[in-house]
Structures are given as structure tokens and as C-alpha cells.
Amino acid sequence: MTHRALTGRPLARAAWFALGAVAGHAADARYGDPRRGHPVAAFGSAATRLERRLWRDDRAAGAGYTALCVGAVAAGALALDRTVGRRPLGRAALAAAATWTVLGGTSLTREARTVGRALKDGDLRAARERLPHLCGRDPSALDEQQIARAVVESVAENTADAVVNALTWGALAGTPGLLAFRAVNTLDAMVGHRSPRHLRFGWASARLDDLAGWPGARLTALLTVAAAPQPRTAWRVWRRDGSAHPSPNAGQAESAFAGAVGVRLGGTLRYGERVEHRPVLGAELRPVTVDDIERACALSRRVGALALGTTVAGHVLLRALLGKRGRA
């Protein structure tokens, strides 16, 4: 059997992608996000410039903008995958680079722990100044307990967005899936919120992010239950409260984390001048404390490791099944 035939098989190609994904995950665990020249930041800058040119106060313009941004990333990733990925080492290197680019688990927990240290030191001002690095809430009037709750909720939601969702799309579509999902999620963070400027223009980005995040959000909840110190509580709170959240996806991770950490999440939130009254998740559980930030971070890391193993195995299995169908 020739080397070309061996490396061209779907199973072999999947194995090299899996090797690269593991390496990329390890790079994120060791180094976190690059401080300069991050590809996601470069994409965000380009998308911002394009938005200034294409913005109109209507959904059609926003849909075109979303399709152009995500389509460009997906097409570029597919071209790279077909060119660089022809050779095993090239495929592994491309997968490693893409995985490191899209994952944000280490930076997430670093930021959360930074806020947690400030709270433990009694420096409420520093904690308020740092909180916007994690979420878009107005920290000016938040007390220690409210900041701790915001951090735990952000760790839960971003474990899905910054880790599990990306790996899920890597399992489904390889390197193009990894990068396309990150483009979708970045656009949602940029224009998907309900500000006056983006209420219509950002509608398509927000809906596409909801759609893309659906499978990974449920997988996040399942893996959170598996990683929880008390899986029964995590399962009960998730199944009861996961759909109470106004977001079709965020509530899945947050409710599972609430049960896993053993705390009550949700309630009233303030985003600048906008106030949201969300359902309480895990109403029978105790309020969040500062120490729960570290518990949530440790849980997030365990969920990320489980997600890597699950999605890598899923990618290899999926490609093996597709290969069998192709030969049938």
C-alpha cells in the first residue's frame, strides 16, 4: 500500500487532525492567548472596518455582513486545509494552530482568578475594574457577592463558547469548523447584542451564534455533570432550569455549573443602562461566595479536558463512518 493511499484515508486524516487538536489544546493550557498579533483580534479589526462600510439599520444588511465575514473565514480555512492538509504533518500543524487560535479556556480562568484574588484581598475597586475583561456588565454598583456571581456565570457561559463549542465544530468539520465557529462567536460579541445600533443589523449574527452554539451548549452541560463533585445535583438543576434562561444556550451551561458548584445563579443583571431580570438557576442552593470562583475555574478546566477527549474521539469516529460509506 502506498504512502499516499494510507495518508489519504479518512481515518488517517482524522488521526492527524486529532493529534493537532491535542497539541493546540496543550498550547492554550500552557500559554493562553497570544498577547500580540492574535488572529481573532485581527479578524475583529477587519470586521469592524467592514461594518463601518456596510452598516444599515436593517436585517438584510446585517445578514449580508455576517455571511461575508463568516464565509471569508470558512473559505480561507477550507483552502488552507486542502493545501497544507494534504500532508500528515501539515494537517496536524494546521489543526494545532487553529485549535490554539480558537480556544480561550486558559485566558478565561486567568481573568476569573484575577478578579477572585482582588476580592480576597478586599480590593473591590480593582475587582470592578477587572470584571469587564470577563463580561459586559456594569460593575460600578456591584458588591463583592454580586461580582463573584458574575464571574462564576461568565466562567460557565464562556466554557461553552470559548472551549466546548469550538471543539464541537472541530469534531464536525475539522479545521474549517474550528475557525468558522470562532468567526461566528466573535461577530455575535461585536454586533449581536441588543444596542440601538445593532438591534436589526446584528440580528443575523446573534441568530447564527444561537444555532452554532446549540450542540456545544448541551455537550457542555453533559460534561459538567460528568465532571461535577455531585453529579446528581448538577443533573437535576440543569434539567429543571436549563431552559429557563432567555438565551437558548447560555442557560444550559450556567444551570449545570450552578448545580455542580452548588450555588444559586441568575437574577437581576445590569448592562450599562439596560437591566435584565433573569430566572434564578438553582434557587434552593446557597449564594455564590468568593471561594466559588476557584471552584468554577477548576470545573471549567475539567470540562475542557473532557471536551477535548470527547470531540477528538467523535471526529475520528465520524470520519471512519463517512469513509466506510464512501467505500460502500
Side-chain angles (χ1 to χ4, degrees), residues 116-187:
R117 283 193 297 270
L119 291 176
K120 283 192 171 185
D121 292 341
D123 194 343
L124 188 59
R125 179 179 178 181
R128 286 172 174 167
E129 289 177 350
R130 200 69 188 181
L131 185 63
H133 290 253
L134 275 173
C135 61
R137 300 180 199 179
D138 179 4
S140 59
L142 298 183
D143 60 22
E144 177 184 287
Q145 193 277 330
Q146 291 168 327
I147 291 177
R149 192 192 88 193
V151 171
V152 172
E153 290 172 351
S154 295
V155 169
E157 183 176 359
N158 286 295
T159 296
D161 282 344
V163 182
V164 183
N165 271 319
L167 290 172
T168 298
W169 280 100
L172 294 172
T175 297
L178 287 168
L179 296 176
F181 173 78
R182 180 52 61 213
V184 170
N185 192 242
T186 302
L187 285 183

Side-chain angles (χ1 to χ4, degrees), residues 75-97:
L78 186 60
L80 275 174
D81 191 52
R82 290 181 174 178
T83 303
V84 180
R86 288 178 178 176
R87 294 185 176 275
L89 290 179
R91 188 171 185 79
L94 184 61

Side-chain angles (χ1 to χ4, degrees), residues 235-248:
W235 174 267
R236 184 184 74 249
V237 176
W238 169 44
R239 298 306 298 158
R240 186 191 66 203
D241 298 340
S243 298
H245 197 283
S247 165

Side-chain angles (χ1 to χ4, degrees), residues 35-286:
R35 296 187 181 275
R36 294 183 179 180
H38 198 299
V40 175
F43 168 78
S45 297
T48 298
R49 291 193 296 270
L50 186 62
E51 186 214 349
R52 294 188 187 124
R53 291 177 175 270
L54 299 183
W55 184 88
R56 300 288 186 278
D57 191 20
D58 65 75
R59 290 183 175 183
Y65 166 77
T66 300
L68 187 58
C69 291
V70 176
V73 171
L78 186 60
L80 275 174
D81 191 52
R82 290 181 174 178
T83 303
V84 180
R86 288 178 178 176
R87 294 185 176 275
L89 290 179
R91 188 171 185 79
L94 184 61
T99 303
W100 186 15
T101 294
V102 304
L103 292 185
T106 296
S107 295
L108 168 65
T109 54
R110 282 178 181 172
E111 290 292 343
R113 285 166 170 153
T114 298
V115 177
R117 283 193 297 270
L119 291 176
K120 283 192 171 185
D121 292 341
D123 194 343
L124 188 59
R125 179 179 178 181
R128 286 172 174 167
E129 289 177 350
R130 200 69 188 181
L131 185 63
H133 290 253
L134 275 173
C135 61
R137 300 180 199 179
D138 179 4
S140 59
L142 298 183
D143 60 22
E144 177 184 287
Q145 193 277 330
Q146 291 168 327
I147 291 177
R149 192 192 88 193
V151 171
V152 172
E153 290 172 351
S154 295
V155 169
E157 183 176 359
N158 286 295
T159 296
D161 282 344
V163 182
V164 183
N165 271 319
L167 290 172
T168 298
W169 280 100
L172 294 172
T175 297
L178 287 168
L179 296 176
F181 173 78
R182 180 52 61 213
V184 170
N185 192 242
T186 302
L187 285 183
D188 178 61
M190 293 173 60
V191 304
H193 45 83
R194 295 182 178 180
S195 66
R197 177 179 175 85
H198 295 133
L199 184 61
R200 295 182 181 85
F201 185 81
W203 178 86
S205 291
R207 297 292 78 76
L208 182 59
D209 184 69
D210 287 343
L211 182 63
W214 197 95
R218 277 83 190 155
L219 178 60
T220 301
L222 284 171
L223 296 179
T224 299
V225 171
Q230 296 183 353
R232 290 184 179 180
T233 303
W235 174 267
R236 184 184 74 249
V237 176
W238 169 44
R239 298 306 298 158
R240 186 191 66 203
D241 298 340
S243 298
H245 197 283
S247 165
N249 297 323
Q252 304 296 315
E254 289 188 23
S255 60
F257 262 69
V261 180
V263 295
R264 184 165 63 245
L265 300 178
T268 301
L269 307 175
R270 180 179 293 276
Y271 296 88
E273 297 181 356
R274 179 167 56 91
V275 177
E276 291 187 11
H277 301 284
R278 294 181 179 176
V280 175
L281 310 176
E284 73 277 18
L285 303 175
R286 61 177 175 80

